[in-house]
Amino acid sequence: METCEATEIFKPKRIFLFPLTVLILVILLPLLIHFNQTSSKVLYPIVEPITTSCNNLFLGTWVPYLKQPYYNQTCPFITEKQNCLIHGRPDSDFLKWRWKPDNCELPLFDATQFFKIVKGKSMAFVGDSIGRNQMESLLCLLNSVARPEEITTKYVSSIEDLTYFKWWFYADYNFTIAMLWSPFLVKSSKSYIYNSSNFYKPESLYLDEPDTAWTSRIENFDYVIFSGGQWFFRPFTFYENGTIVGCQKCNNSIELNYYGYKKAYRTAFKTIMNPNLFKGLAFLVTHSPNHFENGEWNRGGGCNRTQPFTNEQKWEVHPYGLEIIHQIQLDEFSAAKNNTGKNGSRFGLIDITDAMLMRPDGHPNKYGHVSGKNASINDCVHWCMPGPVDTINEIFLYMIMRMGL
């Protein structure tokens, strides 16, 4: 009898609690969902999806972009010569533009997403100081999430190598970034190291021998990014099979001999496509144009512009031979992909030449040099940081997401 009475007493309470519970859920559930979404945005930034209609990232224009850049002049990885703001550049308009492909939107760089992709992997930039410029931009873009330890001395020890080569390691992600200095991609006499003041001394290039500075080190890398071209305007003596086959700017000539440029890239691409040497993803970043006006780099030329070019203006200032060397890169890239069958799918193109040609405002000019050093030479080759160079890494992240992890 007591049990029955107890049951009768609790029945009304159950009836009363059910609608009350439903009411609480109706009120609180939207709040809980909103809180969860807000927290997710803070802890795990939502990655913009790959736009399937982005068939060509490399045709477009620069559009106004008023948000702050990804980082500022305090980033510890900016080479002093590319830190334009800290050296007194008076304008900041060059930071207020973003690359807009013609038929899509280029996603913003997401450092968290980048680390998800490269965790446990390694990446090497192979080339000259333009490649280093891109690598340092990448380090700054990643700096909001993690800071690496420099481990260069584990791999090189000579003064020359410590000057030109760099290794960085992100312990939290077991991820390594390296700069493998190779301005010609093929073997050279390296006279530029031992006699750097004499730009007119011929450099010997062995066009059929890839530079061991990178070939001896890339076997276990997951990504290799090639760039370069600025050093191919020097005087050269060309060798193949140990025999002289030609020269550039010799016998009082000032003409470029594109044969050396073509063969150097052909040798490099043939080497990187060899699966016995490298099994990861390789990329070519095409030639980065300089914008010297009113003189050559060593004859008082400079770059004082503060706005990007439009598509119609972009050929107003461009380096001699740009169209030819750019086409050589595209031709050799296509040939390498076509000649290697399935291995060609491991080779991606980052064709930034056209986009960067529109940015005469993005160079350090006189605002990038270390005080008291090279003060008379304006830098219209490298890119200010932050600046247009960060766009190359936005495209790079897009490409590695599209090609596969």
Side-chain angles (χ1 to χ4, degrees), residues 43-159:
L43 297 176
Y44 305 102
I46 296 175
V47 180
E48 297 182 52
I50 294 296
T51 308
T52 55
S53 63
C54 223
N55 297 321
N56 194 336
L57 289 168
F58 314 123
L59 294 178
T61 189
W62 294 89
V63 297
Y65 185 75
L66 301 182
K67 294 184 179 180
Q68 293 297 312
Y70 292 103
Y71 57 92
N72 59 34
Q73 65 267 33
T74 64
C75 175
F77 306 107
I78 303 177
T79 296
E80 193 170 7
K81 291 183 179 182
Q82 276 89 68
N83 201 331
C84 305
L85 296 177
I86 209 169
H87 283 288
R89 178 165 174 164
D91 69 294
S92 59
D93 287 350
F94 70 98
L95 299 174
K96 299 175 182 177
W97 300 89
R98 191 159 191 271
W99 179 244
K100 171 65 176 68
D102 286 338
N103 63 351
C104 65
E105 295 291 335
L106 177 64
L108 291 168
F109 187 91
D110 188 318
T112 301
Q113 178 67 16
F114 185 90
F115 277 124
K116 288 180 181 178
I117 294 171
V118 301
K119 186 174 183 179
K121 299 179 181 180
S122 56
M123 178 178 296
F125 289 82
V126 175
D128 57 21
S129 56
I130 296 296
R132 185 169 61 215
N133 205 172
Q134 183 189 350
M135 181 195 73
E136 290 166 351
S137 161
L138 181 59
L139 293 172
C140 286
L141 290 169
L142 299 176
N143 198 46
S144 62
V145 173
R147 182 172 295 189
E149 172 192 3
E150 184 178 352
I151 57 171
T152 306
T153 54
K154 292 183 179 180
Y155 297 93
V156 295
S157 57
S158 71
I159 294 176

Side-chain angles (χ1 to χ4, degrees), residues 234-253:
R234 293 169 169 252
F236 292 119
T237 302
F238 300 133
Y239 289 81
E240 289 184 85
N241 297 315
T243 303
I244 295 177
V245 294
C247 60
Q248 174 172 289
K249 295 188 176 180
C250 51
N251 301 322
N252 298 320
S253 172

Side-chain angles (χ1 to χ4, degrees), residues 60 63 76 118 147 152 182 207 226 259 278 294 351 361 379 394:
V63 297
V118 301
R147 182 172 295 189
T152 306
S182 183
L207 300 176
F226 286 104
Y259 178 80
F278 177 70
N294 304 314
D351 186 0
D361 58 320
D379 184 355
E394 289 179 328

Side-chain angles (χ1 to χ4, degrees), residues 31 70 104 175 180-181 219-220 227 258 267 289 330 347 396:
L31 296 175
Y70 292 103
C104 65
F175 172 56
L180 305 181
W181 178 261
E219 181 179 0
N220 296 316
S227 62
Y258 300 104
T267 296
L330 298 182
F347 200 13
F396 176 46

